[in-house]
Amino acid sequence: MTEIARNDTVSDSQDYDAVIVGASLAGCAAAIQLGRTGARVALVERRLDPAAFKRTCSHFIQASAVPTLTRLSLLEPMIAAGAVRSRMRAWTRWGWIDPPPERAGYAVNLRRERLDPLIRGAAAATPGVEMGLGLAAAGLLRGEDGAVAGVVLRDPDGAEMALRGRLTIGADGRDSGVAELAGVRQRVLPHGRFAYGAYYEGELPEGAPDSSMWMLDPDWASAFPTDGGLVLYGAMPTRDRLPEFRRDPEAALVELVAGLPDAPPIRAARRVGPILGKLEMPNRVRVVTAPGLALIGDAALATDPLSGIGCGWALQSAEWLAEAVAPALRGEETLRRGLARYRRRHRRELRGHASLIHDYASGRRFSRGERMLFAAAARDPEAAAAFDAIGTRRARPGRVLATAMPRALAVNLRHGRPPRAGTVSPRRSLA
């Protein structure tokens, strides 16, 4: 691994084609892609441990990002590390939505404690990439035209150094310090749920290795089989249930999951590791570019984790950025043009999905249109495939819904009125 040489003062700056702040999924993916194009890349991370990993994460990588993993040469090493390929099946009050295997998207499940060191090692081994650990962004450098021109970094002892770059990339997550330092405009949208989860070992749930989710309207629960024979059980109830989870998080989690329809065997399983919780998860939508600056991953768009898209969109947005700016970093066009191309791609690919996700993140109950689609998807393979294409983020919602909704209406008319909710209610209080 090539390491960044540390200077004693910010006056002795170092020049790169790209300086990436944040060596998690998005930052490492961008470093790999840019390094392959011949760019000189600085990849810096505030944590000192090269094996550090994100702890509060479902680790679920949607099917939409699997082609990116393949192009990054990461999919095979992940499989070798124990990653599990899985479809997503969903329980609704109308029955299970189980998309046809030949038309379903297959996600990847690998715990972050294995995935993060793996992708960080791949980035560090990429020619042209220099890694710096224990370096936090303390400021931004500006050019004469006011454009971002690099980063001022601070190490754990308080010493500062500067890295100059033609492009600065913020890959530092939902609470991006780079975005804050740059004064990037953002919208913060409320979130009406909270999350708890933990890894368990023992008997696998029905349907494994496929992942399962329970769309309880409005609560939500999940079971993600993953490496090592473990299962991540998770729950995202609405905020009115927060007091019972705060009193005893594990008891509340087990009670909710064990009370699900077709409940997985959580009571017979043994918890491995801590109970993980996230109480505040506002959706953040930022302008993804500024002169000399680009944001990727959660730094660009942080949405409701219920949809399981954080890891996948981190990888995909990194790839889109690298493709967009590579010509500029080779001197073939202006950086401004490359950033505009990335901004358009990011908006085109994610705007429709984000709009749906942000609306449902309020904690509301299903809309009439959602009820119609879900009821049809539980009864009809074509509708189930359409549900899966949107849910796995492999297709833009507008394109799919234009044909899926008329079919859903026809399916429901053929089967009669969807049954009313009410045979099983997981909303039991622990009080």
Side-chain angles (χ1 to χ4, degrees):
M1 177 179 73
T2 304
E3 294 187 4
I4 294 169
R6 304 196 182 193
N7 300 318
D8 295 328
T9 65
V10 297
S11 60
D12 295 324
S13 62
Q14 301 176 47
D15 294 329
Y16 294 86
D17 294 309
V19 178
I20 304 173
V21 179
S24 190
L25 301 188
C28 289
I32 294 170
Q33 294 278 14
L34 290 172
R36 287 177 177 178
T37 69
R40 187 184 180 208
V41 180
L43 176 62
V44 299
E45 166 61 42
R46 61 180 176 81
R47 295 171 295 185
L48 275 167
D49 184 1
F53 62 95
K54 186 175 181 178
R55 295 181 180 275
T56 307
C57 178
S58 70
H59 74 244
F60 183 72
I61 299 179
Q62 282 281 20
S64 62
V66 172
T68 300
L69 287 174
T70 300
R71 287 187 288 270
L72 288 167
S73 302
L74 291 172
L75 184 58
E76 289 188 3
M78 290 172 65
I79 298 297
V84 173
R85 299 298 308 275
S86 64
R87 294 181 302 155
M88 173 58 80
R89 52 199 294 272
W91 181 91
T92 73
R93 71 178 81 162
W94 303 280
W96 282 95
I97 300 175
D98 201 354
E102 69 278 5
R103 298 180 61 186
Y106 283 78
V108 183
N109 284 286
L110 181 66
R111 285 175 295 157
R112 294 294 296 268
E113 65 183 278
R114 293 191 176 185
L115 174 58
D116 287 18
L118 188 156
I119 191 171
R120 195 171 294 122
T126 301
V129 176
E130 299 177 23
M131 179 84 76
L133 300 177
L135 297 172
L140 297 178
L141 303 175
R142 299 278 182 174
E144 293 181 358
D145 58 356
V148 176
V151 185
V152 178
L153 301 167
R154 184 176 295 130
D155 70 15
D157 297 323
E160 292 187 342
M161 63 181 294
L163 300 184
R164 293 193 176 276
R166 296 173 61 194
L167 174 64
T168 299
I169 301 172
D172 50 343
R174 176 184 291 268
D175 299 317
S176 172
V178 169
E180 184 176 350
L181 289 168
V184 171
R185 289 187 292 111
Q186 71 168 338
R187 287 187 296 132
V188 180
L189 305 173
H191 195 287
R193 295 183 179 85
F194 62 95
Y196 276 98
Y199 289 98
Y200 286 78
E201 66 177 4
E203 181 184 352
L204 295 176
E206 184 178 351
D210 290 338
S211 300
S212 301
M213 65 178 178
W214 285 260
M215 302 165 66
L216 304 171
D217 193 20
D219 294 342
W220 182 89
S222 62
F224 295 106
T226 189
D227 59 277
L230 302 180
V231 179
L232 175 63
Y233 288 115
M236 289 187 66
T238 49
R239 298 192 70 83
D240 59 294
R241 302 195 66 175
L242 185 55
E244 66 189 74
F245 274 81
R246 275 181 159 163
R247 282 196 299 271
D248 191 334
E250 182 173 23
L253 175 65
V254 170
E255 182 75 7
L256 189 152
V257 172
L260 293 170
D262 301 331
I266 190 172
R267 289 196 187 279
R270 183 179 73 88
R271 178 164 60 85
V272 178
I275 294 284
L276 305 172
K278 189 80 172 176
L279 304 186
E280 298 295 336
M281 301 173 289
N283 301 282
R284 296 185 183 274
V285 184
R286 293 187 175 97
V287 177
V288 300
T289 65
L293 174 72
L295 303 176
I296 55 178
D298 281 353
L301 176 63
T303 59
D304 182 4
L306 182 150
S307 301
I309 44 68
C311 294
W313 285 0
L315 296 163
Q316 289 178 271
S317 61
E319 183 175 41
W320 298 335
L321 175 64
E323 290 176 348
V325 302
L329 298 184
R330 289 194 298 263
E332 298 169 3
E333 64 179 22
T334 65
L335 182 59
R336 179 179 179 181
R337 185 173 180 180
L339 290 175
R341 188 159 49 242
Y342 167 62
R343 186 169 61 249
R344 289 192 300 269
R345 177 82 181 272
H346 192 279
R347 180 178 176 84
R348 182 173 68 248
E349 298 288 351
L350 302 187
R351 175 177 55 181
H353 289 293
S355 178
L356 293 177
I357 292 168
H358 295 159
D359 178 52
Y360 189 62
S362 65
R364 63 166 176 79
R365 299 183 72 89
F366 294 149
S367 68
R368 179 176 297 179
E370 288 165 339
R371 293 196 300 270
M372 184 170 69
L373 177 60
F374 301 159
R379 298 162 161 174
D380 176 67
E382 286 292 328
F387 171 89
D388 187 73
I390 297 173
T392 60
R393 312 302 163 188
R394 292 176 295 134
R396 297 174 202 159
R399 291 182 177 180
V400 177
L401 292 175
T403 56
M405 295 310 290
R407 183 175 183 88
L409 177 60
V411 169
N412 289 324
L413 287 174
R414 187 167 65 249
H415 285 268
R417 179 185 293 273
R420 296 176 62 85
T423 56
V424 180
S425 175
R427 295 191 124 239
R428 294 177 295 181
S429 172
L430 296 181

